[in-house]
Amino acid sequence: MSLQFNRRDFEYDVYTLVGAFYPGSRIKTWYEGEEAPEGEFAYYYSINYGQEQITFSMNGPGRSQFACCRLKDAGDRTETKNQLKRLVYRFLSEQTGKELPWGDLTGIRPTKIPMRLLEEGWSNVEIARHMKETYFTSNEKTALAIATANREKALLSQLDVEKGYSLYIGIPFCPSICLYCSFGSHPLKQWGHMMEPYLESLFRELAFISGRMSGRRLNTIYVGGGTPTTLEPPQLERLLSFVQEHFSFEHLKEFTVEAGRPDTITEEKLEVLRNHPVTRISINPQTMNQKTLDLIGRKHTVEETVETFHLARRMGFDNINMDLIVGLPGEGQEEVGATLKAVRELDPDSLTVHSLALKRATRLHLFKDQYEDISFENSEEIMRMTKECAMEMGMGPYYLYRQKNIAGNFENVGYAKVDKAGIYNILIMEEKQTIMAAGSGASTKFVFQQGTRIERVENVKDLKNYVERIDEMLERKRKGMELYGI
Ligand code: SF4
């Protein structure tokens, strides 16, 4: 379809909304005054907005339609955007007969809205009414967003978000690369020889951060990747000892190590984690169906997941998260049901349910033609099954986010039992606290005034470049900190 704008404002919101009503369709955007795109389109949409009103029109097979609304206050960008999205949503909803679960919300952090309103003193009922009237969110998603925001708020109140900070440490190696991976991880076989030089650079960056942040309180640490447990036990020991020696743990609320892939977890490595104040680990099955694991290139077995989980429990880990993905190739309700049954038997402390996102930089996207015969299914029913499973295990939602190209326009939800939520996950999503990040591809986020201003300093993604240009990475951080007055 063709989507024409008269000016460059809010195009991405409208584009995303149209895409949500027509998943998988090719949408060509262009601007008034430009040459029309070549080719035939099923629908021609046109958006026109000025100082007084917005119009949205459509020319399609055998019919034309038009809708407009008067702008309440053209100087108020948020209000203008909301009015524009409401107009487009109503129009497309009527045209397609569809309602979207998240209404006209196109951003990736739907809880930010209820969170802000809670902070302003609104009641849950008032927020629910506002969300449904303003964004057309369904009853179910409205309840999910508000419940999550309330829990986030309670958890964040334990931290000094202004004066504290969090630390992210990236280990960008994996035993094999999953078909859907968009993290830019490196397979051990080809890149294992870079582990030592990588650690050397990482230690330099961590030492730099500890020196610069010594006057602030460290609240959470997250070691992610990649797969941190690709490190050999002595390497893991060195890393965790280095962190303990260089940072004060006096105000630390949480120390997560994402063990991740069961095929990298051994008793010796878990022993190393036990010898340090690691409070939370992740053992991620993604699915408990072997056929799917083989298809998505995870190269581990269902049995390995079960055995590793039991091993970790025996060794005393009392906060274990499990990540699942729904919408994986070839998986429908039956397969997801089997995974949930197996997970329920293990009874983890938290469960993170991701909806598969078909991102461009993944092998799944590159070779998608090969998977034409395989269905990619996600549905309200599947999302409900995951929610019910989490609730049966005594968990409630504590963070959620959406992604572009997510299967079925759904969301990713983190569920946790009481006192087992991953606080770092909330900090990442709500952008309330500064996160210092070390490692290739790591993005440091300086957060000011409760998230009303955010500045980023990025490290290079490429592993070799990170190692060779570590001085430049430190300089980038130093300059950023000076510029932003950290
Ligand atoms: S385990 Fe995670 S980071 Fe590693 S390849 Fe798979 S998706 Fe990517």
Side-chain angles (χ1 to χ4, degrees), residues 173-185 225-227 261 286 298:
F173 300 95
C174 282
S176 63
I177 301 303
C178 308
L179 205 56
Y180 52 83
C181 181
S182 60
F183 299 111
S185 193
T227 305
R261 293 268 292 256
Q286 311 302 8
R298 291 278 292 183

Side-chain angles (χ1 to χ4, degrees), residues 324-381:
L324 296 182
I325 302 177
V326 291
L328 284 170
E331 292 215 342
Q333 284 185 33
E334 199 185 321
E335 291 76 12
V336 173
T339 293
L340 295 175
K341 184 171 176 284
V343 167
R344 214 179 288 120
E345 279 164 20
L346 293 175
D347 195 22
D349 305 285
S350 61
L351 184 71
T352 313
V353 182
H354 298 271
S355 295
L356 183 74
L358 202 54
K359 294 191 180 170
R360 281 192 189 281
T362 62
R363 289 193 295 138
L364 188 57
H365 190 268
L366 279 177
F367 305 116
K368 63 176 184 235
D369 297 351
Q370 291 176 19
Y371 305 98
E372 261 177 2
D373 299 340
I374 304 175
S375 70
F376 290 76
E377 186 190 336
N378 195 8
S379 61
E380 278 290 342
E381 186 47 35

